[in-house]
Amino acid sequence: MNFIDRRLNPGGKSLPNRQRFLRVAKAAIKDQVVRSIRDRGLSDAAAPQVVKIPMRRIAEPRFRHAASGGDRDQVFPGNKEYVAGDKLPKPKGGQGQGGREGSPDGEGEDDFAFTLTSEEYLDILFEELELPDLAKRKLKQMEINRPQRAGYSVSGSPTNLNVVRTMRSSLARRISLGRPKPGEVEALAEMISDLEHAEAMGALVGDRLVELRERLRGLEARAKRIAYIDPVDLRYNRFEATPKPQAQAVMFCLMDVSGSMTEDMKDLAKRFFLLLHIFLNRKYKHVDVVFIRHTTEAREVDEETFFHSRETGGTIVSSALAEMRSIIEARYPVDEWNIYAAQASDGDNYASDSRACLEMLTQQILPVCQYFAYVEVYDSRQAEIFHSSLNVSDLWKDYLTVPPAFANFAMKRVFSKEDVYPVFHQLFSEHREAA
Amino acid sequence: MAMTGLLFDTGEWTFDTLRRAYDAIEEIAVGEMGLDVYPNQLEVISSEQMLDATSSVGMPIFYHHWSFGKSFARQETLYRKGWTGLAYEIVINSNPCISYIMEENSMTMQALVMAHAAFGHNHFFKNNYLFREQTDAAGILDYLNFARDYVASCEERHGMAAVERVLDAAHALMDQGVNRYGRRARLSLSAERERAETRLAHAAETFNDLWRTLPASKLEAAKSPTGQRATDEKLGLPEENLLYFLEKFSPALKDWERELLRIVRNISQYFYPQRLTKVMNEGCATFVHYKIMHRLFDKGLVSDGAMLEFLHSHSSVVFQPDFDDKRYSGLNPYYLGFEMMCDIERIATQPTAEDREWSPQVAGCGDPMRALKDAWANFRDDSFIAQHLSPHLMRKMRLFQLSDRAAETEYRVAAIHNEQGYRDLRRALALQYDPGLRDPNIQATAADLSGDRKLTLTHYLHDGVPLVERDAMAVLAHVGDLWGFAVELVGQAPDETTRYRYDTGHPETEQAA
């Protein structure tokens, strides 16, 4: 008999099996992952995800007996009142008292639920998009210069003086040039004063006092010539301005919530916002999300209100842009934050607002934004009418006039859920071409 | 500790206490109970590794397949949510007999597990006739190693998808991939592995592309069919081992694909006895651990506290809810097995008049271990129940038999635990474990090699119980994939009438290139 301790053996033995499983079940998982976007809040989009996929997509079929049909006998334990010959009604729908012969491993019509790690989840999501690398490269990165320590220099401002280094070179210089040590001078002076004292008492000192005085004068002169700290000793901490990626980003979600936006359209918009958020999250350490919804006037709201409550009224898009600008001014200094904005609307806007809107966009918003995406969402019923590029909304027309010089501006139309990914893709690739 | 004589007095285990407990258990199991076991190897693993192992059918080495990943994902989710516990142990029918014990177990549980797995199951594996005849305990680990490497090399050479296609199909046919009766002399698994390797090497050495260009021999053509019977004979029809049949005669498979079928078939055969002896195997192991733990207690080697812990876990293992309890999910094999073993012990030592009538060989023989060891060696679940289920136990379990007749609108209580019912009950319960009835009886019955090459499988219905249609169609599609041509499944009643007929039709493209 022997005991073997296997606890330290490499674990994760079933990892290859898991990878194979994910591959086999990929189609089903993808469906679920894509569907899950709808039910997730923006901020927990990257959390581990429990997915449920239909059993039939990953079935392991066997020849097995059906649960009902034919003649069968079964023995049960725990009889209480039955005697031979008793009749019991058959339950409807085949699921018998006592279950009958179920499937061997509990497989049925049920869903198969298991947990995807957040990494697997995002991988599948991005694979679906087919542009993770592209987006990674192309999401423009705001860089700011931050001073970073870079060795020492012999010149600099007094605040950057490095005392330790300075004193070290001072010491080296003093030793090499033979500057008399303070103790040496003091000892000499003491000896002289002793002698002087003796002489005053009448002792005969002779040349010795003269000689010592001479030496002291020499030492003092040397100490004066060789400064304790010389300008050549001075060392300063050197700082170099190094460009550093801005680690925080803010994402503005602008949405028109006027009566003409239906739940479906909001759902499309949400998907778009969600994807942008996930991308930003992968890129930046910290992502703030600001939700601004507007009718004729704009208001910052929380996520729940943003997506789910409705208001009626007209549409003045510039109000949202103005709100965004004031929030930027108040809370998000441009040199500290990467600013992204995604706007979703059905394209309605007061005609009189269009100039104000365009002006604000080109002069105040776009110059401070990394990226401004406008998606126009359509109800499925409207899709047919608007699919031709001739029928465009007012806002669309206005936005079309944004000068092409603004490479950080992109616009797209989304007609159905299936459109969201391709549109996202296009937004980024257009962005790339333009940039 | 030495003063009290206890083997251990805390919940924590160390290798030292493990070894001491093992020695004490061995003394009882082998010295007092006379169990006959393979040498033991106990391996301590972490819960993570236990999860790994349970999801690849409990074996330490196994080839990779997505279905194990699926099972792992399920197990892990259930486990993490606390819906199920982990197995306390896994024991492998190998020589030496490997038992896995989990790091998290308390020392009492380790002692229980050692008694249960390393002696109970181990004795059963070594002595039961099915395991002796049908499995090769010495060769299994080497063979699994070979299988894993072989599958991996196939994946490398032919791509994962191609390997998966064959394995998926083979897994679907696993239940039909066993020889129910040990009629062919089988090679030991190590010889099997060597043969596969030499076959491969030979093929690689002697490969000559020129042979392909030779015109087909006239002789071969002249030997063309002389009737259906001749073909059947050549193909060994009818054949119940579908994996074997496809491996040998499928016109569409390449050599490596046949080898994969062979691997799945060999492994399926290795596990087959375990499916036939679930009740006995667990009953034997549970009885053995129960006896050993009590003996340890009697000898003053374990404390009251440890004994209570043991009894708690023992009683949850053998818990059997009544049929109308919502926890009921069939007869618990641990419960049934354990009760039957205890019952045999009772009959051997304190028989009643009834017992003398029902089991004259055992009753009052005075040596319960001999009677039990005889049962463990020579029976499988159905025959064991048919022989040893006593009226006493039927009363204790309050068994009753429910008849479901397709022609009737109600169930009928056919027998209960009384004088008139004992024989019927025992027969019905034994039949419930009869592998011939439990698994659908499906055989390859015809293959039209000279015509359209259609393969016919026949399902011999028993008492009119049909198959799950959707699954049957899916498996049939797999068979069609392996066979390469059309396959049909015919459901045949005992009166030779055809109940149903499924057909894969002609595959559009004959086979994937």
Side-chain angles (χ1 to χ4, degrees):
Chain A
M1 190 278 306
N2 48 19
F3 284 104
I4 298 180
D5 190 352
R6 294 251 187 244
R7 285 172 295 176
L8 294 179
N9 281 20
K13 238 186 190 172
S14 60
L15 192 64
N17 290 330
R18 183 175 178 89
Q19 288 161 344
R20 282 166 173 74
F21 168 59
L22 289 182
R23 192 172 43 72
V24 166
K26 184 161 270 169
I29 295 175
K30 255 187 193 170
D31 288 353
Q32 284 305 308
V33 164
V34 170
R35 198 168 307 161
S36 74
I37 291 176
R38 179 185 220 139
D39 313 324
R40 302 189 116 190
L42 282 192
S43 46
D44 60 330
Q49 165 82 358
V50 175
V51 291
K52 283 188 180 157
I53 56 181
M55 272 300 187
R56 66 188 153 73
R57 306 282 293 263
I58 44 162
E60 296 168 79
R62 298 279 177 102
F63 283 129
R64 53 193 173 94
H65 285 132
S68 60
D71 302 337
R72 46 184 92 203
D73 287 276
Q74 189 129 354
V75 175
F76 295 97
N79 180 22
K80 304 205 169 51
E81 52 188 31
Y82 300 142
V83 295
D86 280 0
K87 306 272 189 187
L88 282 81
K90 284 189 190 181
K92 299 275 181 287
Q95 270 310 304
Q97 169 187 14
R100 299 272 150 234
E101 186 176 320
S103 53
D105 51 357
E107 282 188 19
E109 291 291 335
D110 301 347
D111 284 349
F112 181 86
F114 67 101
T115 313
L116 282 179
T117 65
S118 57
E119 207 155 282
E120 287 165 344
Y121 174 78
L122 291 179
D123 278 350
I124 290 168
L125 191 63
F126 289 145
E127 190 174 324
E128 176 81 350
L129 279 170
E130 295 175 344
L131 48 54
D133 294 336
L134 173 73
K136 243 185 236 165
R137 262 185 290 119
K138 292 307 166 189
L139 270 183
K140 222 198 224 162
Q141 187 135 9
M142 173 67 135
E143 286 183 345
I144 51 163
N145 287 333
R146 282 196 191 282
Q148 190 174 14
R149 284 282 291 274
Y152 306 93
S153 69
V154 292
S155 62
S157 78
T159 47
N160 289 340
L161 183 74
N162 186 311
V163 178
V164 173
R165 285 285 171 144
T166 303
M167 292 313 290
R168 189 190 291 171
S169 47
S170 147
L171 182 64
R173 184 179 48 79
R174 278 180 277 129
I175 290 170
S176 58
L177 294 182
R179 183 180 197 268
K181 289 179 186 144
E184 213 176 315
V185 181
E186 270 165 34
L188 196 58
E190 203 169 310
M191 273 169 74
I192 291 172
S193 72
D194 282 352
L195 279 178
E196 278 172 345
H197 190 65
E199 190 180 34
M201 298 293 284
L204 189 66
V205 186
D207 290 347
R208 178 139 176 83
L209 186 61
V210 180
E211 184 197 335
L212 285 179
R213 280 197 180 126
E214 192 59 32
R215 265 179 65 191
L216 179 63
R217 210 172 303 123
L219 282 182
E220 275 170 352
R222 194 169 179 80
K224 200 169 273 175
R225 272 204 311 280
I226 302 168
Y228 188 76
I229 293 179
D230 192 275
V232 303
D233 299 337
L234 296 182
R235 293 293 181 273
Y236 298 90
N237 291 332
R238 197 168 91 85
F239 289 91
E240 219 166 53
T242 331
K244 279 217 168 160
Q246 185 66 270
Q248 53 188 4
V250 56
M251 168 179 163
F252 285 89
C253 300
L254 313 178
M255 187 162 66
D256 178 7
V257 290
S258 61
S260 54
M261 284 284 281
T262 62
E263 281 299 313
D264 277 353
M265 291 155 84
K266 283 189 198 172
D267 185 54
L268 293 182
K270 180 179 179 183
R271 278 156 194 267
F272 186 80
F273 292 145
L274 186 67
L275 283 171
L276 186 57
H277 185 251
I278 290 173
F279 274 123
L280 296 181
N281 246 336
R282 281 206 140 182
K283 178 104 176 149
Y284 298 107
K285 271 191 204 136
H286 177 79
V287 179
D288 268 12
V289 186
V290 177
F291 297 98
I292 299 173
R293 48 184 231 147
H294 69 94
T295 51
T296 51
E297 58 185 41
R299 208 149 49 85
E300 183 182 354
V301 293
D302 61 26
E303 183 174 345
E304 183 64 27
T305 324
F306 185 73
F307 285 115
H308 296 299
S309 83
R310 291 182 75 159
E311 270 178 25
T312 50
T315 316
I316 297 180
V317 174
S318 63
S319 67
L321 298 179
E323 175 77 10
M324 174 176 166
R325 194 201 53 205
S326 64
I327 292 175
I328 292 177
E329 277 169 8
R331 307 208 307 254
Y332 299 105
V334 178
D335 52 349
E336 285 175 26
W337 291 84
N338 293 291
I339 297 168
Y340 290 83
Q343 183 187 6
S345 164
D346 58 357
D348 286 345
N349 196 10
Y350 283 135
S352 59
D353 184 44
S354 64
R355 267 205 57 194
C357 199
L358 198 60
E359 206 162 281
M360 191 171 296
L361 191 67
T362 52
Q363 293 181 5
Q364 302 185 358
I365 304 284
L366 287 181
V368 300
C369 274
Q370 294 296 321
Y371 189 55
F372 190 104
Y374 170 63
V375 286
E376 199 158 291
V377 289
Y378 291 89
D379 203 286
S380 46
R381 283 162 297 163
Q382 302 172 331
E384 284 175 24
I385 310 168
F386 283 96
H387 238 310
S388 97
S389 56
L390 294 174
N391 283 323
V392 292
S393 69
D394 300 336
L395 194 59
W396 185 266
K397 259 184 247 162
D398 296 343
Y399 276 179
L400 272 182
T401 61
V402 170
F406 286 106
N408 57 344
F409 179 78
M411 52 198 282
K412 269 292 165 228
R413 305 204 288 177
V414 179
F415 294 95
S416 68
K417 279 182 284 195
E418 293 73 44
D419 283 350
V420 175
Y421 293 129
V423 159
F424 205 66
H425 190 157
Q426 277 174 349
L427 281 179
F428 280 98
S429 42
E430 269 186 12
H431 185 58
R432 178 195 52 187
E433 282 153 22
Chain B
M1 194 191 269
M3 300 262 295
T4 60
L6 292 180
L7 288 170
F8 50 91
D9 56 3
T10 67
E12 297 297 315
W13 59 267
T14 62
F15 281 99
D16 190 42
T17 46
L18 278 185
R19 183 165 294 274
R20 244 180 310 150
Y22 179 89
D23 292 341
I25 290 170
E26 184 176 37
E27 194 185 312
I28 298 169
V30 178
E32 299 179 15
M33 297 169 77
L35 298 184
D36 168 28
V37 293
Y38 292 122
N40 271 307
Q41 177 162 321
L42 290 140
E43 307 195 351
V44 183
I45 60 175
S46 65
S47 59
E48 197 74 20
Q49 288 165 322
M50 185 60 100
L51 213 51
D52 269 357
T54 39
S55 53
S56 53
V57 296
M59 301 308 271
I61 315 162
F62 221 76
Y63 57 82
H64 295 310
H65 188 255
W66 63 266
S67 60
F68 309 133
K70 169 183 162 187
S71 130
F72 184 85
R74 185 216 313 270
Q75 300 261 358
E76 193 187 24
T77 304
L78 293 180
Y79 177 61
R80 298 262 183 261
K81 292 197 171 159
W83 288 336
T84 57
L86 282 177
Y88 292 122
E89 43 82 23
I90 288 180
V91 56
I92 295 167
N93 168 27
S94 59
N95 183 12
C97 177
I98 297 175
S99 314
Y100 290 111
I101 57 183
M102 214 168 37
E103 168 180 46
E104 278 83 346
N105 293 347
S106 70
M107 186 55 219
T108 311
M109 287 307 297
Q110 306 291 35
L112 164 62
V113 163
M114 284 191 278
H116 182 91
F119 291 97
H121 283 306
N122 191 346
H123 172 88
F124 196 82
F125 288 148
K126 190 171 175 191
N127 292 280
N128 184 268
Y129 79 107
L130 282 174
F131 288 87
R132 295 167 69 101
E133 279 176 14
Q134 302 197 2
T135 68
D136 174 13
I140 183 65
L141 290 181
D142 283 346
Y143 188 70
L144 289 176
N145 214 349
F146 157 75
R148 185 190 55 187
D149 293 348
Y150 190 85
V151 170
S153 78
C154 284
E155 282 184 345
E156 237 167 68
R157 279 189 204 183
H158 310 286
M160 228 182 248
V163 172
E164 219 152 66
R165 175 183 145 246
V166 180
L167 285 183
D168 286 359
H171 284 186
L173 288 170
M174 243 178 149
D175 296 343
Q176 279 71 40
V178 290
N179 296 322
R180 281 171 220 284
Y181 314 100
R183 86 189 147 178
R184 289 192 193 88
R186 257 173 303 282
L187 288 171
S188 77
L189 288 176
S190 59
E192 185 82 53
R193 189 197 58 203
E194 271 164 32
R195 207 168 79 166
E197 278 165 355
T198 36
R199 208 165 25 216
L200 212 66
H202 179 76
E205 273 170 23
T206 57
F207 175 76
N208 187 339
D209 204 35
L210 271 182
W211 291 115
R212 195 172 45 76
T213 62
L214 289 182
S217 151
K218 287 262 163 49
L219 264 177
E220 204 66 39
K223 264 201 276 173
S224 61
T226 56
Q228 192 57 35
R229 173 159 301 176
T231 323
D232 286 0
E233 220 159 78
K234 203 172 103 197
L235 298 180
L237 293 174
E239 172 62 63
E240 59 158 7
N241 190 334
L242 299 185
L243 278 182
Y244 173 82
F245 178 79
L246 289 166
E247 175 200 326
K248 294 294 177 221
F249 302 113
S250 164
L253 293 179
K254 301 185 184 70
D255 283 349
W256 63 271
E257 294 173 319
R258 291 180 209 278
E259 191 63 45
L260 287 183
L261 292 193
R262 191 179 186 80
I263 285 172
V264 173
R265 181 164 68 82
N266 278 327
I267 290 173
S268 182
Q269 187 77 52
Y270 167 82
F271 282 117
Y272 189 57
Q274 307 208 4
R275 289 172 49 210
L276 299 188
T277 56
K278 183 84 179 149
V279 170
M280 291 188 73
N281 203 343
E282 294 303 349
C284 165
T286 308
F287 180 83
V288 165
H289 81 224
Y290 186 79
K291 282 284 146 196
I292 289 178
M293 290 305 285
H294 274 87
R295 267 305 280 156
L296 286 176
F297 183 65
D298 293 344
K299 288 167 132 185
L301 295 173
V302 295
S303 64
D304 291 359
M307 205 55 192
L308 284 174
E309 186 190 349
F310 154 70
L311 286 172
H312 173 74
S313 100
H314 171 80
S315 54
S316 48
V317 164
V318 298
F319 175 66
Q320 174 66 62
D322 285 350
F323 74 100
D324 50 359
D325 193 306
K326 64 174 184 290
R327 291 167 293 181
Y328 180 78
S329 61
L331 277 168
N332 177 355
Y334 291 83
Y335 169 72
L336 181 58
F338 178 67
E339 287 295 338
M340 287 187 69
M341 301 311 163
C342 290
D343 202 42
I344 290 176
E345 186 187 32
R346 182 190 60 81
I347 294 171
T349 50
Q350 302 155 329
T352 61
E354 184 185 51
D355 295 324
R356 287 186 194 284
E357 184 195 332
W358 280 73
S359 21
Q361 327 85 311
V362 179
C365 73
D367 185 355
M369 277 318 291
R370 196 173 56 82
L372 283 168
K373 276 190 268 185
D374 176 62
W376 295 339
N378 299 316
F379 291 85
R380 60 181 201 196
D381 283 351
D382 53 336
S383 57
F384 178 63
I385 290 169
Q387 180 84 15
H388 288 289
L389 186 67
S390 74
H392 173 87
L393 189 55
M394 286 185 252
R395 284 195 299 274
K396 183 175 172 193
M397 294 173 67
R398 307 190 69 81
L399 294 180
F400 69 102
Q401 175 192 356
L402 209 55
S403 288
D404 176 5
R405 296 284 170 270
E408 294 168 18
T409 53
E410 289 173 312
Y411 296 133
R412 193 170 55 81
V413 177
I416 66 161
H417 42 89
N418 61 15
E419 203 62 53
Q420 298 80 41
Y422 293 141
R423 284 189 195 282
D424 288 345
L425 264 186
R426 186 156 87 165
R427 193 167 158 276
L429 191 60
L431 286 180
Q432 219 164 297
Y433 289 91
D434 185 341
L437 302 181
R438 203 175 45 179
D439 295 331
N441 180 5
I442 294 170
Q443 305 187 9
T445 45
D448 184 5
L449 284 190
S450 56
D452 60 3
R453 299 197 171 182
K454 185 179 211 168
L455 172 67
T456 304
L457 306 181
T458 305
H459 169 212
Y460 295 99
L461 281 87
H462 179 78
D463 287 340
V465 178
L467 296 179
V468 177
E469 184 174 331
R470 203 188 53 197
D471 272 27
M473 293 299 289
V475 179
L476 206 60
H478 279 309
V479 178
D481 197 24
L482 293 181
W483 180 250
F485 298 89
V487 179
E488 67 173 352
L489 176 65
V490 181
Q492 201 182 72
D495 56 5
E496 306 228 325
T497 56
T498 301
R499 291 292 180 84
Y500 64 83
R501 186 184 290 270
Y502 303 139
D503 205 320
T504 61
H506 293 266
E508 275 174 40
T509 51
E510 280 197 348
Q511 51 174 307

